Amino acid sequence: MTVKVIVGTQWGDEGKGKITDILAEKMELVIRYQGGNNAGHTVVVGNETFKLHLIPSGILYNNCTCIIGNGVVLDPEVFFQEIETLAKQNVIITPKQLNVSCNAHIILPFHKQLDSKQEAKRYEEKIGTTGKGIGPTYADKTARRGIRVQDLLSPKNFKKKLEKQQWEQHLPNITKADIENIYNHYLKLGKKLKPFICDTSLTINEAINEGKNILLEGAQGTMLDIDHGSYPYVTSSNPTSGGACIGAGIGPNKISGVIGVTKAYVTRVGEGPFPTEQENQIGKHLQERGAEFGTTTGRIRRCGWLDLVILRYAIRINGITEICLTKLDVLDHMETIQVCTGYKTQDGIINEFPQDLETFTNCSPIYESLPGWKTDISTLTSYQDLPKNAKAYIQYIEKKVGVEITMVSVGSKRRQTIHLLRV
Ligand code: GDP
Ligand code: IMO
Ligand code: MG
């Protein structure tokens, strides 16, 4: 039996969807435990590309049940749209294969409006959110006035909660008729959602007791974590492994391992500090070769060199037990590869992620250079066949961070994956 958590070690888009899909083949449950449809997880099977936002990336296997846990914020319209899109790609989803927690919080159209309004007006610094209503929905959850999935099943409760929200105060254009329309529309969506809804913590814990293989699929990444990331340039949930226990309703003693998904370089969408960012030809090359466009918003991703300071930090915060290194093929044409090992600050050199944003914003990275391999590795399937310098890059990272790399991804397809058996 294994209960493993998948976490991104950077600012998201590390390739968690691909790795989840690869591992899901042997899993009986795949669970999303936080975030919402701000996530965009890509899975490529043959010539078909699946873009998953809310539905877990285990959904492509018939033997796998997927769960949207209590820690997720759920947009019911997106939920059914995604099911429809998948049906067009011949992935038919029934409530037997997909469960939704009765305690997950609901994203309403007002949350989305607030998201864009807050981005435009309330803060001096723009965060560059995905605009999906994630922040305002989690804010309502924390303020104890949120609307949960189970409320959609109870007309009386739903009405009372909707009216208590006083949306008009924040969104002056909203009328009573708008709220009435939302009430009627979301009650209908609640009815449609009913067969999917259950106490998912119970389902998950029963599966654990039966010795099933379980994967908890994190969205976003460590540096976007509301507690541990580059606050305030973060999302509003805990993508880190601790969030998996809370967002799925399981005890920490049930987790048997934490898989860190690490891109061979770093990307970031939205605003905020990014010490190893390359606003030059190197960044452009990574962006183009890595096709670094946001899966959810289509925005161009900022690109830069691998940062071992934040990788070590992610290992510490998440208790990472193994690393999957992705997109190594994107570095194929590099003459030299730079890796950041520490930061120069006003107060000297530091090797740990600084907790104050100002130091993080103003630090300059210290690099070590490694030779590139200048070979196409995208068709390779065994570690032994990798060029010497690619092996050296993998071993260098392992040595510097003290955690084993167990999988290397060299392309978006399933077969472009190297399982590392080095004996
Ligand atoms: P996620 O949010 O962590 O699931 O990552 P995304 O799906 O947003 O972004 C990763 C992108 O890289 C997707 O388009 C994947 O298909 C692609 N991808 C994943 N692994 C590899 C890889 O090893 N090499 C290349 N070239 N592309 C990859
Ligand atoms: P996956 O799961 C990359 C970023 C946004 C913004 C910040 C806050 O695909 O890795 P939000 O809408 O969550 O309030 O935005 O977080 N962000 C992501 N960046 N990958 C993601 O998800 C992200 N989800 C949110 O760009 O900077
Ligand atoms: Mg993504």
PDB file of all heavy atoms in Angstrom, residues 13 16 39-41 295 301, ligand 3:
ATOM      1  N   ASP A  13       3.246  24.484 -12.522  1.00  0.00           N
ATOM      2  CA  ASP A  13       3.519  24.074 -13.906  1.00  0.00           C
ATOM      3  C   ASP A  13       4.805  23.265 -14.056  1.00  0.00           C
ATOM      4  O   ASP A  13       5.475  23.312 -15.084  1.00  0.00           O
ATOM      5  CB  ASP A  13       3.576  25.304 -14.842  1.00  0.00           C
ATOM      6  CG  ASP A  13       2.299  26.113 -14.777  1.00  0.00           C
ATOM      7  OD1 ASP A  13       1.229  25.507 -14.622  1.00  0.00           O
ATOM      8  OD2 ASP A  13       2.377  27.348 -14.864  1.00  0.00           O
ATOM      9  N   LYS A  16       3.234  18.352 -12.993  1.00  0.00           N
ATOM     10  CA  LYS A  16       2.557  17.480 -12.016  1.00  0.00           C
ATOM     11  C   LYS A  16       1.508  16.596 -12.693  1.00  0.00           C
ATOM     12  O   LYS A  16       1.332  15.444 -12.326  1.00  0.00           O
ATOM     13  CB  LYS A  16       1.886  18.331 -10.923  1.00  0.00           C
ATOM     14  CG  LYS A  16       2.861  19.206 -10.138  1.00  0.00           C
ATOM     15  CD  LYS A  16       2.143  20.120  -9.170  1.00  0.00           C
ATOM     16  CE  LYS A  16       1.257  21.150  -9.803  1.00  0.00           C
ATOM     17  NZ  LYS A  16       1.954  22.180 -10.617  1.00  0.00           N
ATOM     18  N   ALA A  39      -5.661  25.764 -11.466  1.00  0.00           N
ATOM     19  CA  ALA A  39      -4.684  24.769 -11.932  1.00  0.00           C
ATOM     20  C   ALA A  39      -4.912  24.452 -13.401  1.00  0.00           C
ATOM     21  O   ALA A  39      -6.030  24.551 -13.896  1.00  0.00           O
ATOM     22  CB  ALA A  39      -4.816  23.490 -11.107  1.00  0.00           C
ATOM     23  N   GLY A  40      -3.858  24.065 -14.070  1.00  0.00           N
ATOM     24  CA  GLY A  40      -3.967  23.576 -15.443  1.00  0.00           C
ATOM     25  C   GLY A  40      -2.958  22.452 -15.569  1.00  0.00           C
ATOM     26  O   GLY A  40      -1.756  22.694 -15.589  1.00  0.00           O
ATOM     27  N   HIS A  41      -3.444  21.215 -15.568  1.00  0.00           N
ATOM     28  CA  HIS A  41      -2.552  20.048 -15.597  1.00  0.00           C
ATOM     29  C   HIS A  41      -2.709  19.356 -16.946  1.00  0.00           C
ATOM     30  O   HIS A  41      -3.807  18.937 -17.317  1.00  0.00           O
ATOM     31  CB  HIS A  41      -2.888  19.095 -14.444  1.00  0.00           C
ATOM     32  CG  HIS A  41      -2.631  19.706 -13.097  1.00  0.00           C
ATOM     33  ND1 HIS A  41      -2.838  19.050 -11.915  1.00  0.00           N
ATOM     34  CD2 HIS A  41      -2.140  20.927 -12.753  1.00  0.00           C
ATOM     35  CE1 HIS A  41      -2.508  19.844 -10.901  1.00  0.00           C
ATOM     36  NE2 HIS A  41      -2.095  20.990 -11.382  1.00  0.00           N
ATOM     37  N   THR A 295      -1.396  27.084 -18.946  1.00  0.00           N
ATOM     38  CA  THR A 295      -2.439  26.150 -19.386  1.00  0.00           C
ATOM     39  C   THR A 295      -3.825  26.733 -19.112  1.00  0.00           C
ATOM     40  O   THR A 295      -4.778  26.460 -19.822  1.00  0.00           O
ATOM     41  CB  THR A 295      -2.276  24.810 -18.625  1.00  0.00           C
ATOM     42  OG1 THR A 295      -0.899  24.442 -18.663  1.00  0.00           O
ATOM     43  CG2 THR A 295      -3.100  23.699 -19.221  1.00  0.00           C
ATOM     44  N   ARG A 301       4.847  32.293 -19.725  1.00  0.00           N
ATOM     45  CA  ARG A 301       5.493  32.047 -18.426  1.00  0.00           C
ATOM     46  C   ARG A 301       6.886  32.669 -18.429  1.00  0.00           C
ATOM     47  O   ARG A 301       7.627  32.542 -19.406  1.00  0.00           O
ATOM     48  CB  ARG A 301       5.602  30.549 -18.154  1.00  0.00           C
ATOM     49  CG  ARG A 301       4.248  29.873 -17.983  1.00  0.00           C
ATOM     50  CD  ARG A 301       4.408  28.354 -17.890  1.00  0.00           C
ATOM     51  NE  ARG A 301       3.127  27.666 -17.771  1.00  0.00           N
ATOM     52  CZ  ARG A 301       2.922  26.414 -18.158  1.00  0.00           C
ATOM     53  NH1 ARG A 301       3.891  25.691 -18.681  1.00  0.00           N
ATOM     54  NH2 ARG A 301       1.727  25.878 -18.009  1.00  0.00           N
TER      55      ARG A 301
HETATM   56 MG    MG B   3      -0.168  24.037 -14.854  1.00  0.00          MG
END
